[in-house]
Each structure stands twice: as structure tokens, then as C-alpha cells.
Amino acid sequence: MQCSCGRKAVYHRRYSGQHLCARCFRRMVEKKFMETVRSNGFIAHTDTVACGVSGGKDSLVLLHLLHGLQKKVRFSLFALAIDEGIAGYRDRSLPYVTKACETLGVPLHVRSFKESFGYALDEVTAMKERVGACSYCGVFRRSLLNSASRELGATKLALGHNLDDESQVILMNMLRGDFARFGRMGTYRKHVNDQFVPRIKPLREIPEKEIVLYAVLAGIDFDFEECPYAPEAFRDEVRQFLNTTEEGHPGTKHALLRTYDKLYPFLNEALQPSVLPSCERCGEPSIRPLCKKCELLDAIRDGLARDDQS
Amino acid sequence: MVRVVLLREEQILDLAYEGPAQGLLPLVGYSVETAVVLCNGVPIEEEDEVGEGDEVRILPVVSGG
């Protein structure tokens, strides 16, 4: 098939019926990124943006697009990588981050679970009694991204969540009946805690597949490995369901996100606290007196002590 | 024969296949939603034909955590 410009198409955008050549495809992705940034007021001239990077396609495409945006909006940008301590995975992907940052001239900061919390993820998952790896990882990563961004002077934390990630989380929270978390998914609009760095997701309307193709066409080198703990997660089942549904009914993922976005102002009003308290122990933002990170660290300490005794 | 290169699995398969790329994907464990297809180094639409002498590279869409 041919693109409307006459060139050979490289991508069939099923949810809109368009066939796009390489040039029009890249423009379409860049336009969608810009629209999302503009319509949500994500970035201003005065901002210092921390871009969470892992070495995967989402975060490196995001870094690339944010770097390009600096030509139009004069904000400050740095990259922030988290080393969870997953042998054979994160040590393999971090060199992609280093290379991208060197190429673009973006400062890079790396923080690790081991240095920040005392444990690498692999040590935690070796415990006899444990919850899913993603439960530890998600909580620790969010906490460390927030605290490190703040300490490094960021006013926004940009994350590479794509349309697939967003639609999966919407569905997961619904299926779990987790209404409180369901109501906190949107873009933060209220200032609720001085310690909280607002998160922005400029790729939230771009499907995962388009991110991969964009990376290929833009010559962005990335790690395409999957986290070894990913098959443990409920998300994997939801992803398979959504991909099967999208194939039969193109546009399903967009429809899910659009529905959520229409609901969000009501959810935000009803569920978002006007003030988000701080954890009594570590001072990080937390709805409960003791934040989830501190709670999990206590459980790990107890679990490892039990393992030593047995 | 079509040479199929599965990048994540680091596998190379020679398959007797002639037809649209999307028909090849389920044979190697992928679908339209989970793969980006390159034919002879260039991205193609899944409806595009692949066949004798082509090298098809399969990039997994799902990666990371």
C-alpha cells in the first residue's frame, strides 16, 4: 500500500485506517507527543524535567523526543536511571542509557535499590516467603524516582508509559476493584505535597508498537529484552487479553483511555486528597502513616531474618 | 524459503512460506500486535507479501517490565 503522500507505506495504523510511509509515520508520532504535552500543559520554560530511563524503547524514545522539544521550549532536562539489581537484565540495558545520553548530551544520574534501600531486587526475590517481584519493584522504583528527582532539582518527572501501559493499568485496577488507585491514575492537577514531583506521561496516547517502529526508524538503539519477572505479573494476562481484543477490534486501547480521561475529572474531584500526608518514617508522600516502601522494607528485614534462622 | 530472524530469541528459522507477513507471525509465536516486521532490513506492513529469498526480522513489541 501507499501512504497518502505517494511513498511506500511501512505502517498500517489499523485504528484509523491510515497507511503511513516512514516519514509521515515519524511526523505522526512526533505530532501526537507534542499534542499530549501541549494539551496537558506538561512542560513550561521554567521546568527542570527528570526523564526516567531504563534502556528500553519507551524511555529512550521519550528522551529523544524531549531532547528535540528543548529546541522549542527552553526547559532543563536530565535522565534518571534506576538499577533494581536484576542480574542479566538491568546490567544489560543500562549501557543503552549511557550511550543515548552521551549521544544527545543529556546528563545522566543512576540510583540503585542496593544503595538506596540496602537490597537488590534479586536478593529480595530469593526470600522463601515473598509477594510478587513486581510488587516490591514497582513501589521501590516509584519511591526512588520521586525522591531522586526531587533531590536533583526536578520540577517534573517524565515517564515513558505508552498507550498499552495505560490501558493495561486502567483494566487491572478495575478488575482488582481498586477504586482508590483507579482514581489516582490521571495526570496530577492539584498540588498535594511539597515532596511529590508531578509525573508526566507524554507517550500515553501512543501504542507500544508505534514506539518500537519509531525507535527503529529514528535509529534509536534499545534493549528489547523483557524483565525476567514480567511473566509473574497479572499485567501479562491483561496485556494478552487487550492485544487479542485490539486485533479483532482496532481502537480498543484508545477507547479505554478516552473513557478513563472522560471519567478522570470526576474521579479526581471525588478521590484525590487535597493534601497528601507524608510517611512518618521516611517523609515521602504517603496516604497512610507508614508508606508502602517502609512497610515492604520491614517485611523484607523480617523475611530475611527468618530465612537465616531456618 | 523465507529466513526468519527472531531477535529476542536469537533464533534463525528457514520456513517454506509465501504470503502476507501477518500469516507468518503466528507460526513463530507472534501476532500483529506483538511484532514489528522488517523485510530485508526495511519495516513493512503486515499485509505485505514475503517469500522466496527474503530475510524477515521479527522485533518484539513487548519488552521491559
Side-chain angles (χ1 to χ4, degrees), chain A residues 1 8-12 14 19-20 57 89 92 164 208-209 212-213 216-217 222-227 230 235 239 243 246-247 253, chain B residues 6-10 22 25 30-38 41-48 58-65:
Chain A
M1 294 290 285
K8 161 95 177 69
V10 299
Y11 181 64
H12 181 191
R14 289 161 191 270
H19 294 270
L20 299 163
K57 84 278 182 193
Y89 173 64
R92 187 183 145 140
D164 291 61
E208 190 166 27
K209 179 167 174 163
V212 175
L213 184 55
V216 170
L217 294 171
F222 64 95
D223 182 25
F224 47 77
E225 282 301 312
E226 194 173 14
C227 174
R235 180 188 283 267
R239 175 190 291 133
N243 280 341
E246 179 76 27
E247 246 188 282
K253 293 171 190 173
Chain B
L6 301 171
L7 291 174
R8 176 182 289 154
E9 296 80 359
E10 296 179 354
Q22 61 192 4
L25 292 172
Y30 285 89
S31 71
V32 168
E33 281 297 304
T34 61
V36 166
V37 182
L38 278 70
V42 180
I44 58 166
E45 294 190 296
E46 290 81 10
E47 295 89 340
D48 288 344
I58 310 283
L59 260 88
V61 164
V62 179
S63 59

Side-chain angles (χ1 to χ4, degrees), chain A residues 75-289:
Chain A
F75 62 96
S76 300
L77 174 67
F78 66 84
L80 175 60
I82 304 295
D83 181 355
E84 302 92 344
I86 306 172
Y89 173 64
R90 188 56 75 217
D91 43 359
R92 187 183 145 140
S93 65
L94 284 175
Y96 289 91
V97 173
T98 310
K99 187 184 158 200
C101 290
E102 279 173 5
T103 305
L104 296 172
V106 175
L108 168 65
H109 301 273
V110 183
R111 296 285 187 272
S112 75
F113 281 6
K114 183 77 178 174
E115 282 176 15
S116 305
F117 305 126
Y119 310 100
L121 189 65
D122 284 343
E123 292 176 67
V124 175
T125 56
M127 283 193 313
K128 284 178 187 155
E129 286 178 42
R130 66 168 175 98
V131 294
C134 303
S135 300
Y136 299 107
C137 188
V139 169
F140 290 164
R141 192 148 34 105
R142 272 193 297 277
S143 178
L144 192 48
L145 279 169
N146 186 65
S147 60
S149 298
R150 189 183 63 239
E151 285 157 20
L152 292 162
T155 53
K156 299 278 169 59
L157 169 59
L159 300 172
H161 294 195
N162 58 50
L163 175 67
D164 291 61
D165 297 323
E166 292 293 277
S167 54
Q168 286 157 18
V169 176
I170 291 167
L171 202 53
M172 280 161 63
N173 286 334
M174 286 181 81
L175 293 172
R176 283 175 173 150
D178 194 340
F179 196 57
R181 196 169 286 172
F182 185 67
R184 293 201 300 265
M185 279 187 54
T187 310
Y188 273 75
R189 293 179 194 279
K190 296 178 190 168
H191 177 84
V192 289
N193 187 312
D194 286 339
Q195 303 296 305
F196 186 77
V197 180
R199 293 173 206 149
I200 58 172
K201 302 172 188 173
L203 306 182
R204 68 193 294 271
E205 293 182 46
I206 304 175
E208 190 166 27
K209 179 167 174 163
E210 292 182 5
I211 307 269
V212 175
L213 184 55
Y214 184 88
V216 170
L217 294 171
I220 299 168
D221 207 10
F222 64 95
D223 182 25
F224 47 77
E225 282 301 312
E226 194 173 14
C227 174
Y229 295 113
E232 283 186 20
F234 177 45
R235 180 188 283 267
D236 204 43
E237 293 172 48
V238 172
R239 175 190 291 133
Q240 285 174 30
F241 167 76
L242 275 173
N243 280 341
T244 308
T245 311
E246 179 76 27
E247 246 188 282
H249 308 277
T252 298
K253 293 171 190 173
H254 281 92
L256 203 52
L257 185 64
R258 270 200 306 275
T259 302
Y260 182 82
D261 283 350
K262 282 178 186 162
L263 275 172
Y264 182 64
F266 304 104
L267 293 167
N268 187 256
E269 194 58 38
L271 297 169
Q272 184 87 50
S274 53
V275 177
L276 183 63
S278 298
C279 172
E280 288 171 355
R281 188 182 297 168
C282 70
E284 286 297 309
S286 170
I287 285 176
R288 294 178 300 181

